[in-house]
C-alpha cells in the first residue's frame, strides 16, 4: 500500500481513519530517513482530514513561536494540538522521549501565552503529541486543586506513553485533533453561544413564537394545551394569569414582539431549550461512530428542507438514540410540535442553532 495513494477522507469513521493512518505511516516508515521526511509525509496524510474539520494547519516553515517566550518552534500546530516529530524510531532511547516531552511542554506554554492566556483552564484545552513513526506519546496539563500552590506550571504536565503506533493510539491522536478543534461543551460556552444575550436565542425564540401563533394547526394547539395543563400544575396561578411584568421582562430578554402572549412566549422558550438539549444529545451519541468531518449538526445545517424534516423527525421519534440502545428517551415529548409548524423563518432559525453547535 503506497502512502502517496492513501488519504484520510472526511467521510471515514474514526476507526477507519485510524486504520488508514496506521497503514500509511507503516508504509512511509519504509523509506523515511529523517524527521523532516516523517513530518512532511504524515502532514500530507492529515491534510484532507484537518481541512474537513476546520483545523488550521501551521507547519514548521509557517509557524514561529514568540522568541521572547521560548526559543524554538513547534513542528506543527493543529487547532490546540502541538506535534513534535522526531527522527524515525528515535523513541527507543528514553533520553529522546524526555527531550521531546520537555519541548512539547514549553511549546504548549508558548502557544497559550501567545494567544493571550496560560491559565489552568486554558492549558487544559491543549495537548502535545510526540511521534517518531513507530511510537507516540501524549502530553496534557493535569493540575489539581490539592497540588502544592508553589509548584512550577511546567511540573503540572503529564506524559502518557510512549505507545506503539497502532489503531488504538492513532484513534486517540485523531480524537485529540477533532476534539481540540472545537469549543469545550461546558455550561459557560453553551450559555455564551445559546443564552439570551447571544444572537441565536432571540432569533430562535421569536421564530418559535411566530410559528406557534401563525403556522400551527389543531395538532400544535393540542401540544400547547397539554403543556399548559402540566406546567400549570408546576407554576400554579402564575402561569395561568397574564403577568404584564413577566411578559415584558421575558420579551425584553429575548427581544420578542411586545404583543406576544406570555404563555406562548414561555412555551417557545421551553421548546428552544428542549430542542437544543435533544440536538446536543444526538451529537454526543453519534460522535464516536460519525464520520470525522461531518457531525450530526452539520448534516442538519446543510440538508435540504425535505432531508431536514426527515432527520428531525427521526431525532424526535428517538431513532437517533434507539440505534445506540437508548430507548424511551423522548416518549410523550410535546416539544416536537414545531415539526407541524415549520415556517421558512423557523427553518432558518433551526439551521442557525445547528450551525452554532458545529463549533462544539
Amino acid at each position: 500500500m503506497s502512502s502517496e495513494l492513501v488519504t484520510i477522507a472526511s467521510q471515514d469513521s474514526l476507526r477507519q481513519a485510524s486504520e488508514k493512518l496506521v497503514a500509511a505511516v507503516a508504509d512511509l516508515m519504509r523509506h523515511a530517513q529523517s524527521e523532516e521526511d516523517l513530518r512532511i509525509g504524515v502532514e500530507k496524510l492529515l491534510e484532507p482530514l484537518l481541512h474537513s474539520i476546520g483545523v488550521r494547519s501551521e507547519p514548521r516553515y509557517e509557524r514561529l513561536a514568540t522568541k521572547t517566550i521560548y526559543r524554538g518552534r513547534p513542528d506543527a500546530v493543529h487547532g490546540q494540538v502541538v506535534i513534535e516529530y522526531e527522527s524515525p524510531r528515535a523513541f527507543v532511547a528514553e533520553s529522546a522521549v524526555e527531550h521531546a516531552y520537555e519541548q512539547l511542554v514549553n511549546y504548549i506554554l508558548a502557544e497559550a501565552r501567545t494567544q493571550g492566556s496560560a491559565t489552568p483552564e486554558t492549558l487544559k484545552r491543549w495537548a502535545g503529541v510526540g511521534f517518531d513513526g513507530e511510537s507516540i506519546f501524549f502530553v496534557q496539563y493535569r493540575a489539581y486543586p490539592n497540588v502544592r500552590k508553589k509548584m512550577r506550571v511546567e511540573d503540572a504536565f503529564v506524559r502518557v506513553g510512549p505507545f506503539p503506533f497502532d489503531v488504538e493510539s492513532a484513534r486517540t491522536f485523531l480524537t485529540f485533533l477533532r476534539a481540540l478543534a472545537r469549543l469545550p461543551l461546558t455550561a459557560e460556552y453553551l450559555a455564551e453561544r445559546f443564552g439570551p444575550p447571544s444572537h441565536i436565542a432571540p432569533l430562535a425564540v421569536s421564530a418559535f413564537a411566530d410559528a406557534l401563533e401563525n403556522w400551527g394547526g389543531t395538532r400544535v394547539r393540542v401540544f400547547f394545551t397539554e403543556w399548559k395543563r402540566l406546567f400549570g400544575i408546576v407554576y400554579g396561578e402564575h402561569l395561568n394569569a397574564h403577568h404584564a411584568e413577566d411578559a415584558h421582562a421575558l420579551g425584553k430578554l429575548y427581544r420578542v414582539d411586545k404583543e406576544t402572549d406570555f404563555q406562548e412566549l414561555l412555551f417557545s422558550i421551553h421548546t428552544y431549550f428542549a430542542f437544543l438539549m435533544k440536538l446536543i444529545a444526538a451529537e454526543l451519541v453519534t460522535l464516536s461512530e460519525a464520520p470525522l468531518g461531518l457531525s450530526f449538526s452539520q448534516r442538519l445545517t446543510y440538508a435540504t428542507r425535505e432531508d431536514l424534516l426527515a432527520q428531525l423527525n427521526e431525532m424526535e421519534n428517538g431513532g437517533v438514540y434507539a440505534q445506540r440502545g437508548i430507548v424511551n428517551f423522548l416518549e410523550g415529548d410535546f416539544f416536537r410540535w414545531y415539526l407541524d409548524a415549520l415556517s421558512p423563518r423557523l427553518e432558518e432559525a433551526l439551521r442557525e442553532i445547528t450551525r452554532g453547535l458545529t463549533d462544539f
Side-chain angles (χ1 to χ4, degrees):
M1 180 182 296
S2 173
S3 60
E4 294 182 0
L5 300 177
V6 176
T7 58
I8 302 171
S10 61
Q11 68 268 20
D12 288 336
S13 69
L14 187 57
R15 183 165 191 86
Q16 288 172 327
S18 301
E19 290 171 348
K20 282 187 177 183
L21 183 59
V22 169
V25 169
D27 184 69
L28 175 65
M29 286 292 287
R30 293 189 180 98
H31 56 78
Q33 297 183 0
S34 66
E35 174 187 326
E36 197 71 0
D37 290 341
L38 180 63
R39 183 188 66 80
I40 292 174
V42 174
E43 292 294 310
K44 185 176 180 180
L45 291 168
L46 291 176
E47 186 176 350
L49 166 64
L50 297 170
H51 177 75
S52 70
I53 61 177
V55 181
R56 183 165 52 100
S57 176
E58 302 180 41
R60 178 193 296 272
Y61 49 85
E62 293 178 357
R63 182 89 182 171
L64 181 63
T66 305
K67 289 185 177 181
T68 56
I69 296 176
Y70 180 71
R71 296 185 63 185
R73 45 190 179 179
D75 288 342
V77 180
H78 300 305
Q80 291 179 287
V81 177
V82 180
I83 304 176
E84 176 64 15
Y85 292 98
E86 294 294 336
S87 299
R89 306 172 187 84
F91 291 163
V92 294
E94 178 62 23
S95 58
V97 176
E98 284 295 325
H99 175 70
Y101 165 73
E102 291 174 5
Q103 285 187 304
L104 281 167
V105 169
N106 283 294
Y107 289 151
I108 291 171
L109 289 171
E111 292 292 327
R113 288 165 181 161
T114 298
Q115 295 186 17
S117 176
T119 64
E121 285 304 312
T122 301
L123 291 173
K124 288 176 184 178
R125 286 282 299 152
W126 285 85
V129 177
F131 189 50
D132 75 346
E134 284 193 350
S135 299
I136 190 169
F137 68 83
F138 306 97
V139 177
Q140 285 187 285
Y141 183 83
R142 294 281 179 83
Y144 297 101
N146 60 344
V147 300
R148 62 186 189 278
K149 293 182 179 180
K150 293 184 179 180
M151 73 179 297
R152 296 188 315 150
V153 65
E154 291 88 347
D155 297 331
F157 286 87
V158 296
R159 188 190 88 203
V160 182
F163 305 106
F165 188 62
D166 55 18
V167 173
E168 290 308 313
S169 58
R171 184 186 179 107
T172 301
F173 173 46
L174 293 178
T175 299
F176 274 136
L177 286 175
R178 180 172 64 179
L180 295 182
R182 309 178 83 175
L183 293 173
L185 199 63
T186 63
E188 292 76 16
Y189 279 102
L190 286 171
E192 182 179 332
R193 178 60 58 89
F194 299 106
S198 70
H199 81 279
I200 294 178
L203 175 73
V205 171
S206 296
F208 278 120
D210 174 70
L212 177 63
E213 183 176 357
N214 300 311
W215 291 77
T218 303
R219 178 177 163 85
V220 170
R221 283 291 147 182
V222 170
F223 280 119
F224 181 47
T225 301
E226 181 66 5
W227 174 84
K228 286 197 294 184
R229 184 184 70 81
L230 292 175
F231 281 85
I233 297 173
V234 176
Y235 292 112
E237 294 181 359
H238 186 77
L239 178 64
N240 297 324
H242 182 92
H243 291 265
E245 290 184 6
D246 294 335
H248 176 72
L250 267 182
K252 185 177 180 181
L253 185 64
Y254 287 94
R255 304 193 283 282
V256 176
D257 192 320
K258 295 179 181 179
E259 303 303 318
T260 302
D261 178 77
F262 172 65
Q263 294 179 6
E264 291 185 354
L265 175 57
L266 191 57
F267 184 50
S268 298
I269 294 170
H270 278 200
T271 303
Y272 165 61
F273 283 109
F275 176 77
L276 180 59
M277 293 303 103
K278 286 180 280 192
L279 194 62
I280 291 173
E283 186 82 1
L284 291 176
V285 299
T286 58
L287 189 60
S288 63
E289 300 175 15
L292 278 166
L294 196 63
S295 70
F296 182 79
S297 299
Q298 284 176 310
R299 291 201 298 271
L300 294 180
T301 300
Y302 300 109
T304 63
R305 179 182 172 86
E306 182 179 336
D307 287 342
L308 177 67
L309 268 171
Q311 292 186 60
L312 288 177
N313 263 300
E314 183 184 12
M315 182 183 78
E316 294 291 352
N317 290 331
V320 173
Y321 317 102
Q323 292 170 12
R324 280 82 184 174
I326 304 172
V327 296
N328 300 327
F329 181 58
L330 296 177
E331 188 173 305
D333 181 30
F334 41 66
F335 291 122
R336 59 173 297 153
W337 64 268
Y338 66 91
L339 292 174
D340 295 307
L342 193 60
S343 66
R345 179 181 176 184
L346 180 56
E347 179 185 342
E348 180 52 38
L350 296 182
R351 292 185 192 278
E352 191 65 17
I353 297 171
T354 62
R355 193 175 293 117
L357 194 57
T358 57
D359 289 335
F360 287 85

